Amino acid sequence: MVMEFISGISLGREMKGRGYKPYTEREMADVVLPVLQGVDALHNKSIVHSDISPGNIIRAKDGTIVLIDMGAAKYMLDYQPPLSATFLKIDYAAPEQYQTAKEGIPRGEGAWTDVYAVGATMYYMLTGHKPIDVITRLSSLDSRLILPNEYEVKLSEKMIYVLERAMELEKTKRFRSATDLSEAIKDAIDDHHCSN
């Protein structure tokens, strides 16, 4: 696979450079909405990226946001493809990706898998903390997310709802598409902007 070289800085490095200071909801949206546009284009071709994380989102020198690294991408299929890679970025991987890693067949992955990873990336951007990984959440008595206010970060109620729904452990409770997640982010931002 040949991919274009993009000159810029990854979101992970950008976060480190700002001392892990959380992004505002608007700053987060300015990064995530273009990513979701790209993810939606992939999903329309029945491709799941499967490896969305701050390290795979680049702010190019001209300010353009680019989603990179298609090395783990796979078709939304129920059978073993000829070539299948499973890369788990523990803090950003959805529960069904662990099942894929275990069985070698991406049976439960779909648009909702990338939605989880984008939600986890949003969580990191908005709190300055990586989310608790799926295995820890599933093995805990309380599988809910640590709410942003526990990190002394104030977010709108709508944005907290968006994060919680995007990162639902049960895939059927997540936003069903990148478009649905985009619309929910825009709604939360617009609502928050109007109330300030």
Side-chain angles (χ1 to χ4, degrees):
M1 184 184 294
V2 178
M3 290 176 264
E4 178 188 0
F5 174 75
I6 306 288
S7 181
I9 184 170
S10 74
L11 186 58
R13 285 187 183 275
E14 188 174 279
M15 180 61 109
K16 186 178 179 184
R18 51 190 281 148
Y20 303 98
K21 177 180 173 245
Y23 291 72
T24 66
E25 292 182 25
R26 175 70 67 188
E27 288 170 334
M28 176 279 299
D30 288 344
V31 172
V32 170
L33 291 175
V35 168
L36 285 168
Q37 211 172 357
V39 169
D40 192 48
L42 288 175
H43 294 169
N44 286 336
K45 295 189 183 305
S46 296
I47 297 171
V48 187
H49 186 282
S50 296
D51 194 21
I52 298 169
S53 69
N56 285 339
I57 297 170
I58 302 288
R59 190 185 302 270
K61 288 191 172 171
D62 67 358
T64 306
I65 302 298
V66 183
L67 178 62
I68 64 164
D69 195 354
M70 296 292 293
K74 51 184 74 86
Y75 284 104
M76 298 183 206
L77 303 171
D78 272 353
Y79 59 85
Q80 176 69 52
L83 288 169
S84 177
T86 302
F87 301 105
L88 292 179
K89 294 229 173 73
I90 291 173
D91 305 306
Y92 304 94
E96 58 272 19
Q97 290 179 279
Y98 287 88
Q99 197 63 32
T100 294
K102 189 174 171 187
E103 295 178 7
I105 303 170
R107 186 172 288 126
E109 292 185 48
W112 48 87
T113 306
D114 287 340
V115 162
Y116 185 96
V118 172
T121 299
M122 290 169 56
Y123 183 95
Y124 180 54
M125 292 180 75
L126 290 168
T127 66
H129 296 268
K130 291 178 181 175
I132 294 174
D133 67 272
V134 163
I135 298 299
T136 303
R137 285 178 69 193
L138 286 170
S139 60
S140 168
L141 290 174
D142 185 359
S143 63
R144 290 176 300 171
L145 288 173
I146 294 173
L147 291 176
N149 62 3
E150 293 188 41
Y151 296 122
E152 297 180 12
V153 173
K154 186 155 174 46
L155 298 178
S156 67
E157 288 299 316
K158 276 195 173 181
M159 190 58 74
I160 291 169
Y161 165 78
V162 171
L163 288 176
E164 289 180 318
R165 185 160 173 210
M167 295 182 67
E168 276 283 355
L169 294 173
E170 174 50 56
K171 64 187 178 191
T172 59
K173 293 182 179 176
R174 284 180 225 144
F175 295 102
R176 298 307 291 160
S177 69
T179 302
D180 289 350
L181 178 52
S182 287
E183 292 307 316
I185 292 168
K186 288 175 193 169
D187 183 51
I189 294 291
D190 290 344
D191 195 55
H192 187 66
H193 184 70
C194 290
S195 62
N196 283 343

